[in-house]
Amino acid sequence: MIKIAAALLSLLLMCSLANAQDRPPLPALLDGFAGRDDLTPLKTVIVSRSGVVVAERGYRGNRPSDSTNIKSASKSIVSALVGIAIDKGLLEGPDQKIAPLLAVELPASPDPRLQEVTIGYLLSMQAGLGRLSGPNYGRWVASRNWVRFALAQPFDDVPGGQMLYSTASTHLLSAILTKVSGRSTLALAREWLGPVNGFRINAWDRDPQGIYLGGNQMAMSARSLLAFGEVYRNGGKTADGKQVVSAQWVAQSWQPRTNSRFSGDIYGYGWFQREIAGETVHFAWGYGGQMLYIVPALELTVVMTSQESGPSARTGYRDALHLLLGDIIDTVKAAPRLGE
């Protein structure tokens, strides 16, 4: 019996080793993405394990150092700035009401429910105001005053109700940060996230009043987006141990608060969450397929950037990127010493 058990154990070990050897290492895996027709929009992929870049690739002439529009992935950056503002005492916290902060921009006869909208509801897309993303985005950014236009929208739900994804909600946060600090959101980002090695915002659109667009039209490189993601993976600390975002805010941002009615994904404060390849994944997602994935259990941070010429959700391309991450996760699990 002992000999049989030993033989079975040896067979299992051999099978496990064979499976690990059959799975391509990360550099080869990333090389394989280049020839796939379903991944034509893919521009770059970077994989970092325990703070070390273990593989990165650019496709069709693109490079990880090139500036790219990260679109709505910037909502996670705005969320970080809100958390820092709270820690600095510029804001009271997620339960603070926004109406007193934006009083001069409120409609002449405001809906009483505006008095119940909080910082937290803007972060979790539960303000209740009509959505100004998707088909409504154009008429919003064509208005003369984006903040006033957003606050004048009819309510589609009560504050704290269902998730109504709207870039206007994040823009209101940018306006609030500008109001309470007396400085532009870009200046705050450059100062507060400045200690993060490799983080840089190259360009960022503004509204007619000069307020930087919270949650869209932000340009940075894939490496810069990775540097930001590493801060959250590392509990709010830079690689050299400086606390730039509080660990408490990271935890609050990743706490499930609602669900997307489109994808079913969990949403927190500017971050989505879903299970991929058996692991809990927190991610920022921008139009066209601008992705920042964090897999805490594996100490894994992955960035994918894509052409921004078309949507990624209804075309299935975003799901293809999730599957790519699943392949990366499986490869890391099969070779746990990868990157050492």
Side-chain angles (χ1 to χ4, degrees), residues 82-96:
V82 171
I84 296 170
I86 291 171
D87 289 338
K88 290 182 177 295
L90 294 174
L91 293 171
E92 296 170 8
D95 294 333
Q96 184 175 3

Side-chain angles (χ1 to χ4, degrees), residues 127-139:
L129 290 163
R131 296 177 65 244
L132 292 175
S133 285
N136 299 321
Y137 182 82
R139 65 186 182 90

